[in-house]
Amino acid sequence: FKTEYAVVNLEKLAEKFTSEPVTRETLVEKGFLAGINKSMPIKILAKGELNKALTFKGIEKFSAKALELIKKAGGKVENNA
């Protein structure tokens, strides 16, 4: 049985987030998660560029490339479930 994730791409986050943490709550507030996606585990993918240091809190999964780009941009991942 495969876990289904609500997928969010880095390029979209770069457009909507400035310095606030990326959490389930802020993703819902900014319209990234709606309907059933609000309760699904979240996975961040590396599509696009990330040129700002964002902090990710309580996000369940990241692609290896997304983690690399987050760190390269000076960002960090906290409370990784």
Side-chain angles (χ1 to χ4, degrees):
F1 150 74
K2 186 177 179 225
T3 303
E4 293 285 327
Y5 290 93
V7 173
V8 181
N9 290 310
L10 284 178
E11 68 181 353
K12 299 294 183 195
L13 294 175
E15 293 170 10
K16 300 256 184 157
F17 282 82
T18 50
S19 60
E20 67 276 32
V22 179
T23 65
R24 178 175 301 278
E25 293 74 28
T26 56
L27 287 169
V28 170
E29 285 170 17
K30 293 180 182 286
F32 286 98
L33 302 176
I36 193 161
N37 285 340
K38 287 182 184 179
S39 59
M40 292 173 73
I42 300 163
K43 182 171 186 178
I44 306 296
L45 297 181
K47 184 169 188 287
E49 291 295 316
L50 182 66
N51 54 10
K52 50 183 93 166
L54 297 176
T55 299
F56 294 80
K57 294 185 177 184
I59 304 297
E60 286 82 2
K61 197 162 175 86
F62 297 82
S63 71
K65 184 72 175 171
L67 281 174
E68 183 183 312
L69 291 173
I70 290 164
K71 289 178 180 155
K72 186 176 170 187
K76 59 187 174 184
V77 174
E78 297 175 1
N79 308 341
N80 204 9

